Amino acid sequence: MKLSNSFSGALRTFAYFMASGTQHTLEGINYLSLYGEEPSAIEQVFAIYANVIVLDENGDVLNAKYAEKRATDYLRAYCDPAFKVDPPYEDWEVALYGPPPRKDLI
């Protein structure tokens, strides 16, 4: 099974705005330096995004903006301790899963 074009487009768009410093949900937050200094914070953002995003039976993304918001709220709270994520994260949203095998299976 391959990921859908819809998911690929949603992920690409999210990654672009995160990497370019223009993610609209992080306006006013200087987060680009975290890429080199604290990569685990960025890792957590992408884990939340992947855990929260929902696809329908055809692989079409149903909640891209909600997934972006949940993911970027983590980074906003990370950079601004006064910001409170609401609702608080559930364990499944912030779970970090293991990496893929070192060698491809196909």
Side-chain angles (χ1 to χ4, degrees):
M1 172 187 303
K2 289 186 71 169
L3 292 172
S4 68
N5 292 344
S6 177
F7 176 77
S8 179
L11 179 61
R12 175 199 57 78
T13 302
F14 180 61
Y16 171 82
F17 286 112
M18 286 297 299
S20 68
T22 58
Q23 178 61 37
H24 69 92
T25 55
L26 290 171
E27 251 181 64
I29 300 294
N30 183 11
Y31 64 91
L32 285 179
S33 65
L34 296 176
Y35 278 88
E37 297 170 8
E38 299 181 53
S40 63
I42 303 300
E43 174 188 32
Q44 186 66 66
V45 168
F46 279 90
I48 293 167
Y49 181 83
N51 292 342
V52 171
I53 203 157
V54 175
L55 311 177
D56 69 11
E57 63 278 352
N58 297 315
D60 292 327
V61 175
L62 300 176
N63 67 339
K65 297 304 173 195
Y66 181 72
E68 287 177 15
K69 174 107 172 70
R70 291 301 281 168
T72 57
D73 276 358
Y74 173 84
L75 204 54
R76 182 174 290 281
Y78 188 89
C79 293
D80 176 7
F83 180 80
K84 301 298 178 212
V85 175
D86 185 35
Y89 290 112
E90 295 185 36
D91 291 343
W92 66 268
E93 291 179 286
V94 296
L96 295 173
Y97 297 101
R102 293 184 72 113
K103 290 189 174 198
D104 287 343
L105 300 175
I106 59 172

